[in-house]
Amino acid sequence: MENIKKPENIVYGKPRLINDTPMHYCPGCTHGVVHNLMASVIDEMGLAEKTIGIAPVGCAVFAYNYVDIDWIEAAHGRAPAVATAVKRLNTDKMVFTYQGDGDLAAIGTAETIHACNRGENIAIIYINNAIYGMTGGQMSPTTIVDMKTATCPYGRNVALNGYPLKITDILVPLEGTCLVTREAVHTVAAVKRTKKMLTKAFENAMAGKGTSIVEVVATCTAGWKMSADQANKWMVDNLFPAYPLGVLKDV
Ligand SMILES: Cc1ncc(C[n+]2csc(CCOP(=O)(O)OP(=O)(O)O)c2C)c(N)n1
C-alpha cells in the first residue's frame, strides 16, 4: 500500500481527521468522498473532540478506522437507536449516524422512523446506492424498478418485490425532523452542496432542533458491475429520476 501515498499521487489535500489507514472502498465508490466531507466539516466546525459517530453495518462498517473521532459500532440497522442513547446521555456532543440503504431502509426502518418521529437531536447521513454493497449486491428496498441485482437477476419486479422505498420522503411529515434533503457527490457543485447540508445537519444536532437527515444518492461500482465513469452516468440517468435531488424539508 506504500506506493499509493507518493506525493505525485495526491490530488486533493487530506482532511486532518482522515488518518493514514488505506481505505478498502472500490474505485468510484461514494463512501470515500462522503467520509472526506464529514471529516472536513467536523474539523471546520471545531467539533473533533465533541463528535460521536455511530458506525453502521455495511461497506462503511470500517468508518471508525479512517476518521479520527470517537465512534461506536451499532448492530445492523440499529444506529439511530444507539445514537438516541448516546445523545441523551451526552447532550453536549454532536452525535450522528452513517448508514447505507440496506441498513437504514431495510433492517433499520423502524429505528429510523421512530428516532425521526421522536425528534432525537442527531444527524443521519444516509448513503443510498440502491443495493446491498458489502454482501455482494443483493436487492435492497431502494433498488429501482427493472434494476438487476444478485437477487433479482431479471430486474426488480414490482409485482414480486414491491416499489422502491423512498424512505427520505416518508420522514418529511414527521414532526421530529428539521432537515430532510437528498444530495449527491458526482460533481464539484454537488460535493459543495452536500458539504453545506452536512454542516447544517451538524449545526441542528448541536442546537437541539430535532433530527436531520442527509441522503446521498450514491454509486456502487462493484455491486452494479460498472466502472466509476459508467456508474456516475447510470446514477444520473436512472437513480436521480427515482430519487430527485433537493431539499425536502428545512425548518
Ligand atoms: C443482523 C444482520 N443481518 C444481516 C447482516 C449481513 N449484512 C452485512 S452488510 C449488509 C448489507 C449492507 O448494505 P447497505 O446498508 O446498503 O450498505 P452498503 O454495503 O451498500 O454500503 C448485510 C445484509 C448482518 N451483518 N447483520
Side-chain angles (χ1 to χ4, degrees):
M1 282 302 185
E2 215 97 58
N3 59 343
I4 64 169
K5 281 193 265 168
K6 285 179 189 160
E8 63 267 31
N9 291 341
I10 296 172
V11 181
Y12 297 106
K14 189 164 68 64
R16 187 180 69 95
L17 295 178
I18 299 271
N19 60 36
D20 283 337
T21 310
M23 285 188 178
H24 70 292
Y25 298 120
C26 307
C29 170
T30 303
H31 280 305
V33 182
V34 182
H35 280 22
N36 182 310
L37 287 181
M38 74 182 172
S40 304
V41 171
I42 290 166
D43 202 21
E44 283 165 23
M45 291 176 73
L47 293 175
E49 307 297 324
K50 281 198 147 203
T51 297
I52 303 173
I54 317 297
V57 169
C59 276
V61 70
F62 298 124
Y64 50 67
N65 282 339
Y66 308 136
V67 186
D68 283 339
I69 53 169
D70 286 334
W71 288 93
I72 293 183
E73 170 67 26
H76 203 15
R78 274 73 214 188
V82 174
T84 297
V86 171
K87 179 67 184 188
R88 288 186 180 199
L89 292 169
N90 301 275
T91 48
D92 59 325
K93 300 282 188 197
M94 201 287 281
V95 179
F96 76 96
T97 71
Y98 183 105
Q99 304 176 256
D101 46 290
D103 192 67
L104 181 143
I107 196 166
T109 314
E111 284 79 1
T112 303
I113 289 180
H114 286 293
C116 288
N117 193 48
R118 292 191 303 268
E120 301 296 341
N121 295 315
I122 59 172
I124 297 175
I125 305 175
Y126 163 39
I127 310 297
N128 179 10
N129 57 18
I131 211 164
Y132 283 29
M134 184 186 224
T135 41
Q138 295 87 355
M139 177 174 52
S140 96
T142 62
T143 298
I144 59 171
V145 176
D146 292 334
M147 177 177 169
K148 293 187 171 90
T149 74
T151 45
C152 53
Y154 300 106
R156 183 179 185 142
N157 170 354
V158 169
L160 195 62
N161 313 123
Y163 295 94
L165 183 61
K166 296 179 182 178
I167 191 152
T168 308
D169 295 44
I170 294 172
L171 304 175
V172 172
L174 302 181
E175 286 168 76
T177 53
C178 57
L179 173 70
V180 183
T181 188
R182 191 180 286 119
E183 306 295 336
V185 291
H186 62 309
T187 62
V188 174
V191 167
K192 285 186 174 168
R193 256 190 71 89
T194 301
K195 190 172 179 195
K196 208 165 124 192
M197 290 302 154
L198 289 178
T199 307
K200 199 164 206 172
F202 293 167
E203 280 168 2
N204 289 345
M206 287 306 278
K209 284 181 71 175
T211 314
S212 299
I213 175 152
V214 179
E215 173 177 349
V216 181
V217 182
T219 53
C220 177
T221 48
W224 297 357
K225 306 192 188 333
M226 292 180 197
S227 69
D229 203 34
Q230 288 168 334
N232 266 334
K233 191 169 177 339
W234 189 87
M235 175 178 71
V236 173
D237 293 344
N238 298 279
L239 281 191
F240 287 2
Y243 302 105
L245 306 189
V247 176
L248 300 169
K249 179 179 185 180
D250 186 4
V251 179

